[in-house]
Amino acid sequence: METAARKNRGPSAGPDNRRALIVAAREVFSLEGFHAPLSAIARRAGVGQGSLYRHFPDRLTLIAAIFDENIASLEVIVDRESSTLDDYLAEILEQALVSSALIDLMMLERSDDRIQHLRTRITATTGRIVARERASGRIRADAATDDVVLAISMFAALIARVPEAERRHTGDRAWSLFHAAFAP
Amino acid sequence: METAARKNRGPSAGPDNRRALIVAAREVFSLEGFHAPLSAIARRAGVGQGSLYRHFPDRLTLIAAIFDENIASLEVIVDRESSTLDDYLAEILEQALVSSALIDLMMLERSDDRIQHLRTRITATTGRIVARERASGRIRADAATDDVVLAISMFAALIARVPEAERRHTGDRAWSLFHAAFAP
Amino acid sequence: METAARKNRGPSAGPDNRRALIVAAREVFSLEGFHAPLSAIARRAGVGQGSLYRHFPDRLTLIAAIFDENIASLEVIVDRESSTLDDYLAEILEQALVSSALIDLMMLERSDDRIQHLRTRITATTGRIVARERASGRIRADAATDDVVLAISMFAALIARVPEAERRHTGDRAWSLFHAAFAP
Amino acid sequence: METAARKNRGPSAGPDNRRALIVAAREVFSLEGFHAPLSAIARRAGVGQGSLYRHFPDRLTLIAAIFDENIASLEVIVDRESSTLDDYLAEILEQALVSSALIDLMMLERSDDRIQHLRTRITATTGRIVARERASGRIRADAATDDVVLAISMFAALIARVPEAERRHTGDRAWSLFHAAFAP
DNA sequence: TATGAATGAGCCTTCATTCAT
DNA sequence: CATGAATGAAGGCTCATTCAT
């Protein structure tokens, strides 16, 4: 019985539950969108409703936690000296749905602190890769970080709205437009 | 207040109600997004719930009616011989939220007939303006209509997600990227 | 256009509409049960909602009108000197759903005048056929009309609840029980 | 008044709620029939709408739960060696409305598994009492269980449709018909 | 601290009934 | 008199959130 594994496991279950909730949230959100019932996430995580609320008092907090991980993985890429804007984009395309929602959120909930923080991080990260691209002459010298962020925003929003099957192909087409726009 | 006159105004109220519902839907959707409660739309239109359902049996039908009007206004612009892609874009920017939702829908509900039909219309309309731009040398000769549609999609999705105050400014920035991409 | 045939045809349409409504009601009720929306009946009759209400101010009135016709057809059978209780039953079986609903109504709405009247008629009619059966020795001399009415009630209620395909077979089985009960 | 205590009484209220819902459902259904609003049942049970749906996801599930209890009480009777078909009937008469609805359901929803199961149980139970009656010579040796089930069906359907005041009297009259039919 | 049932507000939808034309 | 749209009161159902255990 899988119910064996789930009883009151006491405080030590805390971190595990948190992880399980984030994983479940990713799955559920990517299947049903960001309006999916929270109860579905708790169920999928094998965690009580109450625990979900303890870890993530509202939907936005949970979403922010997901974004956090995604940004971290972008940072890892940028930390690699050899990485290019294309690598960066490839990861964003991978993250498709989440990236897009992150951007939506960054656009809309400008006042929320948690989101402010994510915005700062992603802008900084993007700034670093842009600087490197400029230095290596792969993009125009006067390409502004803000414009690249804008392009990425549009890119992410687009691919999240495309059915998975066409995502790569459409992503390539879209990005080649921006290649042209930023070409030296 | 629109709550004033509310009795059975008889069948002659039909067309008025239909109009009022579309107007209310535009307002409500633009304030709360396309998941806004239909009941709020009926209320704002000063119309009974039942009438809303008579005119628009489901959410998609109502949305399609809104799109219909929007596309019509794009067609009017393209019909004007002197109009340019920038004029076209200006109108899309005006329609902001609706345009974006239209595009979302065109991406997602590929199977629905009503949406299919809208897609056809908007592709045709865009094709006409693109052809004209190419002929006048304002964009690259090899610019594909599909790529322009893609750019417009991203553009519309972006501006819909930007707070109204920054919409024009952000729209300009974004579109200048595409200007660069399609420049001859 | 089929709307041609339906406009305000003036007062002369009254009786026609009444007939059409009863016919439509039979069809709709037999397909969807007696809780079917009245609007469906009006639609099927090709008649406005308002006209339905003019002719039949409430659901019960409409149902009573149907019953009226059914009882009339039972009376026709009994009027035929050669008819037997089995003929009578055959007609009831034919009327299945309506008969059963009639009986339900007779049981429940004891106070309603329209129903009182139907009850009187059906009891009288049944009394006549029972008397004849007794006289011809086909049933026990002490068989009471009331008991036969009771049996018919149960019979009708049963067959209305049986899927149409098994109706005849189940009806035969049920009635043979009563045959045994009333056998001389 | 059951409206008194209404707060979140915690999970321990679960079984109580379940019971209260079944009791309330019996009452409401017997007063208003099986189409009564479920919300009325929740209200009468002093339970939130949501709890009703947790325990009984749809109307049929709730009805099946009621039937379940009724059949159990029939089984108790049959388990008593000394019990007769008349005792059995007396209980069915007691259960009047529910018995009838059970039978309606058994007739109509032939495909539903929950109902299938109830049908099997009631047929088996009836079979046992019939066998005993036959053995003791109280009914004809060739009386088929199916015919007795049929008789019971009609009996139950009848008494459910009779106002409570006349139920016993009408029940007696009806059953005496079947007595005659099954007499040795 | 974790659990998961309880709660109830709110949305969608249907339909009986009214009434202007 | 007929028409058929308008109305709005319910009812079904879902879910975010609370809270006893």
Side-chain angles (χ1 to χ4, degrees):
Chain A
M1 262 202 253
E2 77 284 8
T3 51
R6 179 133 45 79
K7 246 330 111 114
N8 191 330
R9 311 213 317 288
S12 67
D16 281 5
N17 281 351
R18 206 193 131 86
R19 289 287 327 137
L21 283 165
I22 292 180
V23 169
R26 272 182 196 284
E27 293 167 348
V28 171
F29 284 155
S30 88
L31 288 168
E32 307 183 33
F34 278 88
H35 290 301
L38 297 184
S39 55
I41 294 171
R43 196 177 328 116
R44 179 158 200 145
V47 152
Q49 293 265 79
S51 298
L52 186 155
Y53 273 81
R54 164 169 300 278
H55 291 293
F56 307 103
D58 57 33
R59 186 181 292 268
L60 196 51
T61 308
L62 177 54
I63 292 175
I66 293 178
F67 291 164
D68 210 70
E69 295 190 345
N70 281 43
I71 295 182
S73 82
L74 289 176
E75 287 169 338
V76 164
I77 286 173
V78 175
D79 285 342
R80 212 171 50 231
E81 282 300 318
S82 63
S83 59
T84 67
L85 190 49
D86 285 351
D87 298 330
Y88 193 69
L89 261 294
E91 173 65 16
I92 284 174
L93 193 146
E94 212 62 53
Q95 299 179 356
L97 190 90
V98 170
S99 303
S100 159
L102 167 52
I103 284 157
D104 281 13
L105 236 46
M106 282 180 12
M107 299 290 180
L108 292 171
E109 312 254 347
R110 306 208 160 216
S111 52
D112 188 284
D113 272 358
R114 292 158 295 186
I115 302 301
Q116 290 279 11
H117 175 242
L118 295 172
R119 194 202 324 277
T120 307
R121 268 174 80 192
I122 208 166
T123 305
T125 303
T126 306
R128 289 166 59 205
I129 199 99
V130 166
R132 199 183 302 154
E133 294 282 292
R134 264 197 307 244
S136 68
R138 272 195 293 271
I139 66 175
R140 265 222 297 280
D142 65 341
T145 296
D146 279 359
D147 281 342
V148 175
V149 170
L150 201 60
I152 290 175
S153 298
M154 293 191 274
F155 178 77
L158 173 75
I159 58 187
R161 279 161 184 80
V162 162
E164 196 143 6
E166 309 173 28
R167 201 166 278 171
R168 181 155 305 274
H169 175 245
T170 306
D172 285 348
R173 283 210 298 136
W175 195 239
S176 72
L177 288 181
F178 293 119
H179 257 294
F182 292 117
Chain B
M1 257 199 256
E2 72 280 13
T3 51
R6 182 90 66 78
K7 256 294 131 157
N8 189 335
R9 309 210 324 289
S12 67
D16 281 4
N17 280 351
R18 206 193 131 89
R19 289 285 331 136
L21 284 166
I22 292 181
V23 169
R26 276 181 192 284
E27 293 166 350
V28 171
F29 283 154
S30 90
L31 288 169
E32 307 183 33
F34 277 89
H35 291 301
L38 296 186
S39 54
I41 293 171
R43 200 176 326 114
R44 177 172 261 245
V47 151
Q49 286 268 84
S51 298
L52 187 155
Y53 276 83
R54 166 176 293 275
H55 289 294
F56 307 104
D58 59 34
R59 186 179 292 269
L60 198 50
T61 307
L62 176 54
I63 292 175
I66 293 177
F67 290 166
D68 210 71
E69 295 189 345
N70 281 41
I71 295 182
S73 81
L74 290 176
E75 287 170 338
V76 164
I77 287 172
V78 175
D79 285 342
R80 213 171 49 231
E81 281 300 319
S82 62
S83 60
T84 67
L85 189 49
D86 285 352
D87 299 329
Y88 193 68
L89 261 293
E91 173 65 16
I92 284 173
L93 192 146
E94 212 62 53
Q95 298 178 354
L97 190 94
V98 171
S99 303
S100 158
L102 167 53
I103 283 156
D104 281 13
L105 236 47
M106 283 180 11
M107 299 289 182
L108 292 170
E109 310 254 349
R110 306 206 161 219
S111 51
D112 187 284
D113 271 358
R114 291 159 295 186
I115 303 302
Q116 290 279 14
H117 175 242
L118 294 172
R119 194 203 321 279
T120 305
R121 266 174 81 191
I122 209 167
T123 305
T125 303
T126 305
R128 289 167 58 204
I129 198 98
V130 166
R132 201 182 302 156
E133 293 284 292
R134 265 197 306 244
S136 68
R138 274 194 294 271
I139 66 175
R140 265 222 297 280
D142 65 341
T145 294
D146 279 359
D147 281 342
V148 176
V149 170
L150 201 61
I152 290 174
S153 298
M154 292 192 275
F155 177 77
L158 174 75
I159 58 188
R161 279 159 185 80
V162 162
E164 195 143 5
E166 309 173 27
R167 201 165 278 170
R168 180 155 305 274
H169 176 245
T170 306
D172 285 348
R173 283 211 297 134
W175 195 240
S176 72
L177 287 182
F178 292 119
H179 257 296
F182 291 117
Chain C
M1 267 202 250
E2 77 284 10
T3 51
R6 180 133 45 77
K7 246 332 109 109
N8 192 330
R9 312 215 315 292
S12 67
D16 280 5
N17 280 351
R18 204 192 133 87
R19 288 288 326 136
L21 283 165
I22 293 181
V23 169
R26 274 181 194 285
E27 294 167 347
V28 171
F29 283 154
S30 89
L31 286 168
E32 306 183 33
F34 278 89
H35 290 302
L38 296 185
S39 54
I41 293 172
R43 196 177 329 117
R44 180 157 201 146
V47 151
Q49 292 265 79
S51 298
L52 186 156
Y53 273 81
R54 164 169 301 278
H55 289 294
F56 307 103
D58 59 32
R59 186 180 290 269
L60 196 52
T61 308
L62 177 53
I63 292 175
I66 293 177
F67 290 166
D68 210 71
E69 295 189 346
N70 281 41
I71 295 182
S73 82
L74 289 176
E75 288 170 338
V76 164
I77 287 173
V78 175
D79 285 342
R80 212 171 51 230
E81 282 300 319
S82 62
S83 61
T84 68
L85 190 50
D86 284 352
D87 298 331
Y88 194 68
L89 261 293
E91 174 64 16
I92 284 172
L93 193 146
E94 212 63 53
Q95 299 180 355
L97 191 91
V98 171
S99 303
S100 159
L102 167 54
I103 283 157
D104 280 13
L105 235 46
M106 283 180 10
M107 297 291 181
L108 293 170
E109 311 254 348
R110 307 211 160 213
S111 51
D112 188 284
D113 271 359
R114 292 158 295 187
I115 302 302
Q116 289 279 10
H117 175 242
L118 294 172
R119 196 201 324 278
T120 306
R121 267 174 79 192
I122 208 166
T123 306
T125 303
T126 306
R128 289 167 58 204
I129 197 101
V130 166
R132 201 183 300 156
E133 293 284 291
R134 264 198 308 245
S136 69
R138 273 194 294 271
I139 67 174
R140 266 223 296 282
D142 64 342
T145 294
D146 278 0
D147 281 343
V148 175
V149 170
L150 200 62
I152 289 174
S153 299
M154 293 192 274
F155 178 77
L158 174 74
I159 57 187
R161 280 161 184 77
V162 162
E164 196 144 4
E166 309 173 28
R167 201 165 277 170
R168 181 156 304 276
H169 175 245
T170 306
D172 286 348
R173 282 210 300 135
W175 194 239
S176 73
L177 287 181
F178 292 120
H179 258 297
F182 291 118
Chain D
M1 258 200 260
E2 72 278 13
T3 51
R6 180 92 65 81
K7 257 291 128 160
N8 190 334
R9 309 208 327 289
S12 69
D16 282 5
N17 279 352
R18 205 193 132 87
R19 291 284 330 135
L21 283 165
I22 292 181
V23 169
R26 275 181 193 286
E27 293 167 349
V28 171
F29 283 155
S30 90
L31 288 168
E32 307 183 32
F34 277 89
H35 291 301
L38 296 186
S39 54
I41 293 172
R43 200 176 325 117
R44 178 173 260 246
V47 151
Q49 285 267 84
S51 298
L52 185 155
Y53 276 84
R54 167 176 292 277
H55 289 293
F56 306 103
D58 58 34
R59 187 180 291 270
L60 198 50
T61 308
L62 177 53
I63 292 174
I66 293 177
F67 290 165
D68 210 70
E69 294 189 347
N70 281 41
I71 295 181
S73 81
L74 290 177
E75 288 170 337
V76 165
I77 285 172
V78 174
D79 284 342
R80 213 171 49 232
E81 282 301 318
S82 62
S83 59
T84 66
L85 190 49
D86 285 351
D87 299 329
Y88 193 69
L89 262 292
E91 174 64 16
I92 284 173
L93 191 146
E94 212 63 52
Q95 299 179 354
L97 190 93
V98 171
S99 303
S100 157
L102 167 52
I103 283 156
D104 281 13
L105 235 46
M106 284 181 9
M107 298 289 182
L108 292 170
E109 310 254 348
R110 304 201 163 223
S111 51
D112 188 283
D113 271 357
R114 291 160 295 188
I115 301 302
Q116 291 278 11
H117 175 241
L118 294 172
R119 196 204 319 281
T120 306
R121 266 175 81 192
I122 209 166
T123 305
T125 303
T126 305
R128 287 166 59 204
I129 198 98
V130 165
R132 202 185 299 155
E133 293 283 292
R134 268 199 303 243
S136 69
R138 274 194 294 272
I139 64 174
R140 267 221 298 279
D142 64 341
T145 294
D146 278 0
D147 282 342
V148 176
V149 170
L150 201 61
I152 290 174
S153 299
M154 292 192 273
F155 178 77
L158 174 74
I159 58 189
R161 280 160 184 80
V162 162
E164 196 142 5
E166 308 172 28
R167 202 166 276 170
R168 181 155 305 275
H169 175 246
T170 306
D172 286 347
R173 283 210 296 136
W175 195 240
S176 72
L177 288 181
F178 292 118
H179 257 296
F182 291 117

